[in-house]
Amino acid sequence: MGFATDCIHAGQEPEPHTGAVTIPIYQTSTYVQPELGRHKGYEYARTKNPTRSALEANLAALERGRHGHCFASGMSAIDVVFRTLQAGDHVVAGEDMYGGSFRLFHRVLEKFGLTFTYVDTSNIDSVSAAIKPETKVLYLETPTNPMMRISDIAACADVAHRAGAMVVVDNTFCSPYIQRPIELGADVVVHSTTKFLNGHSDSVGGVVVSNSDEFAEKVGFLQNAVGAILSPFDSWLVLRGTKTLAVRMKRHEENGVAMARYLASNRKVKKVNYPGLPDHPQHALAKRQMNGFGSMISFELGTRENAKAFLDRVKLCSLAESLGGVETLISHPESMTHGSVPPENRKRLGITPGLVRISVGIEDIEDLIGDLENAFEGM
Ligand SMILES: *Cc1c(COP(=O)(O)O)cnc(C)c1O
């Protein structure tokens, strides 16, 4: 089936008792067993819940993987991937990534004996050079957050697989509409479903999608053993979100391209980071690897004063952390999403005091550009 059809139907059989078209919210903690030793596949709701199972099947299908497991947040999904490793294992990760993932690796997982090397994963030679005999995972974000650099997933998978490591891609910035890492050779995809997948800024959640039965079994075991599960209500919200994923993403993409062009033409903007612009260093790779370029853009206003004057004047765009909602969200990475990244790393990556990030929503583009025009006037 096509992607839009899968968004609406994959994993979502009508409910068998009543024929309800929409998967109900199974708000139950346990399930009655007809006799000792016999049950209907559900025993206790941490282990399994039908609303969550429907979402897990749906998200696995959209990412073209065989297995999905949903968690209470994107961070808990990422955490579980690393709990499949052991003390002494090594991870190669992107140097420019979601600040919360860096915090998890550096402040939590290192204490349990995992080691990390951070490299520019858009440079395949740096990736090769960082891999050691004990490397078990190559962890990628592409595009990166917030600098929008692109890594070649197929080439990275080649290098990692030759060394016996698996490739995990955080696909939150794209959603499977824009990019499907498993089709490009990745082993595992993680998402913060909080962002584009749910899409309405009203739920926090995460998912791990994989193709290997063996890896999925470990994730399923950890989902139950650790217990950071997605609630039935949140599972239902994300399912409601994915039904419109294809139409939302199409519009996000159109607005993203138009906004990037507008910003690139504005003399107060020093630089625009967006893979859809022809002057982006990996524009050709992005064109090949992605279906469109998404709606995440960062741009440089030169100084913190400029960024503050601009951000204080936007009205329609909401100054907020997060991304991927139907409404346009705008933020200041240095002080907001990337506050937990050490200052010297921020400097090296280009996360300057004048950098602004925008997650372009699906409003009328004329209204969004009008709002920015007005904000630029006060700068
Ligand atoms: C938001 C985000 C996360 C963390 O997800 P939560 O749902 O907030 O826990 C991880 N990776 C990326 C790229 C994100 O944007």
Side-chain angles (χ1 to χ4, degrees):
M1 293 285 169
F3 186 81
T5 307
D6 277 345
C7 284
I8 296 161
H9 295 286
Q12 302 186 66
E13 297 300 320
E15 193 270 325
H17 295 299
T18 62
V21 167
T22 300
I23 305 290
I25 303 169
Y26 285 88
Q27 195 67 35
T28 187
S29 63
T30 192
Y31 311 87
V32 71
Q33 306 190 3
E35 60 182 80
L36 191 63
R38 199 157 66 83
H39 59 76
K40 300 176 173 177
Y42 297 92
E43 293 164 272
Y44 184 63
R46 165 161 33 77
T47 321
K48 225 169 150 195
N49 177 285
T51 317
R52 196 178 85 218
S53 299
L55 174 63
E56 292 173 337
N58 179 255
L59 295 179
L62 298 187
E63 281 291 358
R64 305 294 184 235
R66 284 220 297 277
H67 307 280
H69 291 93
C70 285
F71 295 89
S73 66
M75 289 323 305
S76 58
I78 294 166
D79 178 55
V80 154
V81 167
F82 289 96
R83 283 179 193 244
T84 65
L85 304 184
Q86 311 219 340
D89 287 347
H90 175 249
V91 177
V92 176
E95 61 178 355
D96 172 27
M97 66 172 155
Y98 180 68
S101 302
F102 177 75
R103 181 175 55 200
L104 173 71
F105 298 170
H106 187 55
R107 307 258 316 262
V108 182
L109 298 176
E110 277 181 15
K111 285 202 296 195
F112 295 93
L114 297 184
T115 60
F116 293 83
T117 303
Y118 301 96
V119 298
D120 175 2
T121 54
S122 70
N123 180 338
I124 194 73
D125 296 331
S126 309
V127 174
S128 289
I131 289 182
K132 306 184 203 181
E134 56 274 25
T135 304
K136 292 288 167 15
V137 168
L138 169 60
Y139 186 84
L140 303 174
E141 274 182 34
T142 176
T144 59
N145 178 8
M147 300 311 291
M148 307 304 294
R149 294 204 193 118
I150 309 289
S151 300
D152 187 331
I153 296 174
C156 284
D158 237 32
V159 167
H161 289 160
R162 263 187 274 131
M166 65 177 188
V167 177
V168 179
V169 178
D170 181 339
N171 202 27
T172 301
F173 262 37
C174 287
S175 89
Y177 176 89
I178 301 274
Q179 175 171 279
R180 289 189 285 277
I182 288 174
E183 288 183 342
L184 297 165
D187 302 282
V188 177
V189 170
V190 294
H191 276 277
S192 166
T193 61
T194 313
K195 317 294 168 55
F196 288 103
L197 289 174
N198 180 58
H200 293 73
S201 304
D202 52 13
S203 156
V204 172
V207 68
V208 177
V209 176
S210 62
N211 244 350
S212 142
D213 297 346
E214 194 191 335
F215 180 79
E217 201 181 315
K218 288 184 196 170
V219 174
F221 168 80
L222 285 164
Q223 185 185 41
N224 184 48
V226 178
I229 50 161
L230 192 65
S231 76
F233 181 58
D234 285 289
S235 299
W236 181 85
L237 278 174
V238 181
L239 268 177
R240 186 185 166 105
T242 59
K243 285 198 170 68
T244 57
L245 183 66
V247 284
R248 280 190 289 112
M249 291 312 298
K250 185 165 184 285
R251 173 68 171 237
H252 274 297
E253 156 76 13
E254 286 163 11
N255 280 0
V257 169
M259 179 62 82
R261 285 194 185 134
Y262 160 73
L263 290 167
S265 72
N266 189 307
R267 277 188 299 123
K268 289 186 176 158
V269 178
K270 311 259 182 297
K271 185 165 186 288
V272 181
N273 305 307
Y274 182 68
L277 291 175
D279 69 349
H280 184 282
Q282 291 111 19
H283 177 63
L285 169 61
K287 227 169 154 172
R288 198 166 74 230
Q289 169 169 288
M290 300 161 73
N291 164 38
F293 306 102
S295 63
M296 296 302 299
I297 306 170
S298 65
F299 54 98
E300 181 56 58
L301 295 181
T303 63
R304 187 188 162 89
E305 291 65 44
N306 283 350
K308 180 167 167 47
F310 174 77
L311 290 169
D312 287 349
R313 281 180 63 92
V314 291
K315 288 198 185 78
L316 183 59
C317 302
S318 312
L319 175 61
E321 298 209 6
S322 201
L323 59 108
V326 290
E327 60 289 285
T328 296
L329 300 175
I330 199 159
S331 67
H332 185 243
E334 192 211 31
S335 65
M336 295 168 72
T337 49
H338 289 65
S340 58
V341 176
E344 63 277 14
N345 295 21
R346 285 201 300 257
K347 198 165 170 200
R348 184 162 39 83
L349 295 171
I351 305 171
T352 59
L355 191 74
V356 171
R357 187 186 80 179
I358 184 164
S359 165
V360 185
I362 61 173
E363 299 96 334
D364 290 303
I365 188 69
E366 299 76 22
D367 294 333
L368 293 175
I369 289 178
D371 191 41
L372 295 200
E373 271 296 292
N374 184 53
F376 278 124
E377 273 162 26
M379 226 176 85

